[in-house]
Amino acid sequence: MKFAPVAGIVIRQIYLLQGNFPRVVQLFVWVLVDIAMWGFMTRYMNAIVPSKYNFVPAVLGAVLLWDFLIRIMQGVSLAYMEDSWSRNLLNVFASPITIGQYLTGLVISSILTSLVGVAVMVILATVVFGLSFLSYGMLLVPFLLILFLNGIALGIVATTIMLRFGPASEWLVWPIPAVISPFVGVFYPLSMLPVWMQKVAVFLPPSYVFQGIRTHVAGGLVSGIALVGAIFLSFIYILLAGLLFMRVYRYALRTGLIARYSAENF
């Protein structure tokens, strides 16, 4: 894969971000809100529960990791939205750039923009509420990898939805993490779910991350086999998301949807 077209997409997205003050503010404001709300909540839970169980890594840590996934997903989808809002889609897809290069550029720009918000989250949670990600040990590596891969997969799916149904379908993208979160048990064990939801959770890799967090904080042993299986499943989802995007792209190209979307008013 030639790197120059990918670098061009990344540089363009960063340039658009530089001139988009509301989006820059968004990188920090919601981070501060989430950290403040859940940080004080965990302090309150530690104060009222008569046990040595520490809710900071179990709850606040889970919030930060879930937010990490959301930011990776939104980074990919927002990069596509920027092309839609600027009516640049037709120019992008008419250029010699391949679909693989385009998606790679979206992913890399998502990583760069998401790292800013994540860095602020980690610093604030560590300084103010005493959360240390080092408490997870080496488990932090598979945890972040699983969430990162699933964030990419969801971002590609969200982009596919907007490509197929047009700019008006953006409202379908934002609720995706909220719809998934009850199934993956961000704040509670999967045993609290109905049986049918537990069966769905088995096929959602992030559920293994949050189960692993609670098990580790409680002093239990996290299954390495389960984490490896979740990583493997995450790669499959990225592959399926990419194939879905390719299929929808060919349909949009064949039916002229891309030209129509570029002409719409936003």
Side-chain angles (χ1 to χ4, degrees):
M1 179 184 296
K2 295 182 179 179
F3 185 73
V6 176
I9 293 174
V10 174
I11 293 173
R12 181 178 181 278
Q13 293 297 333
I14 295 176
Y15 175 78
L16 291 174
L17 179 63
Q18 181 182 7
N20 191 338
F21 181 73
R23 187 175 166 191
V24 173
V25 172
Q26 178 182 320
L27 291 175
F28 301 98
V29 171
W30 295 117
V31 169
L32 298 177
V33 171
D34 282 344
I35 295 298
M37 181 178 67
W38 290 104
F40 290 119
M41 176 65 74
T42 53
R43 277 188 176 179
Y44 174 68
M45 294 169 68
N46 279 339
I48 64 174
V49 177
S51 69
K52 295 182 179 180
Y53 189 84
N54 188 0
F55 288 96
V56 172
V59 177
L60 183 58
V63 170
L64 295 184
L65 290 176
W66 181 244
D67 201 88
F68 171 72
L69 180 147
I70 293 175
R71 291 188 176 278
I72 293 295
M73 172 201 156
Q74 291 181 348
V76 176
S77 55
L78 280 172
Y80 173 86
M81 289 179 189
E82 291 285 0
D83 286 326
S84 295
W85 295 333
S86 61
R87 301 183 183 181
N88 193 50
L89 277 180
L90 189 60
N91 296 329
V92 171
F93 291 123
S95 67
I97 190 173
T98 65
I99 296 301
Q101 290 170 338
Y102 180 68
L103 290 178
T104 302
L106 295 186
V107 170
I108 294 177
S109 61
S110 168
I111 295 172
L112 295 178
T113 55
S114 300
L115 283 178
V116 178
V118 171
V120 174
M121 292 171 65
V122 172
I123 293 173
L124 190 62
T126 301
V127 174
V128 179
F129 298 104
L131 173 65
S132 175
F133 280 100
L134 296 178
S135 63
Y136 297 129
M138 292 303 297
L139 288 172
L140 186 62
V141 176
F143 286 170
L144 290 177
L145 179 59
I146 292 170
L147 296 176
F148 172 72
L149 295 175
N150 283 268
I152 293 175
L154 288 176
I156 296 175
V157 170
T159 302
T160 304
I161 292 173
M162 291 183 287
L163 178 61
R164 174 60 181 85
F165 298 104
S169 63
E170 290 177 11
W171 68 273
L172 291 171
V173 172
W174 304 114
I176 289 178
V179 172
I180 296 176
S181 61
F183 293 90
V184 300
V186 180
F187 306 111
Y188 45 77
L190 299 180
S191 58
M192 298 292 101
L193 299 176
V195 175
W196 71 270
M197 292 183 69
Q198 293 184 36
K199 292 180 179 179
V200 175
V202 171
F203 297 97
L204 298 176
S207 64
Y208 297 94
V209 172
F210 300 109
Q211 282 290 93
I213 290 175
R214 285 183 290 271
T215 301
H216 178 71
V217 172
L221 183 63
V222 180
S223 173
I225 296 177
L227 292 178
V228 171
I231 293 172
F232 178 74
L233 190 59
S234 300
F235 277 111
I236 292 178
Y237 285 156
I238 288 182
L239 177 61
L240 292 176
L243 293 175
L244 179 62
F245 184 89
M246 286 292 297
R247 183 180 180 87
V248 172
Y249 166 74
R250 293 192 185 102
Y251 173 82
L253 200 63
R254 185 174 65 253
T255 58
L257 288 178
I258 295 178
R260 192 186 75 188
Y261 296 158
S262 297
E264 288 185 5
N265 292 323
F266 299 91

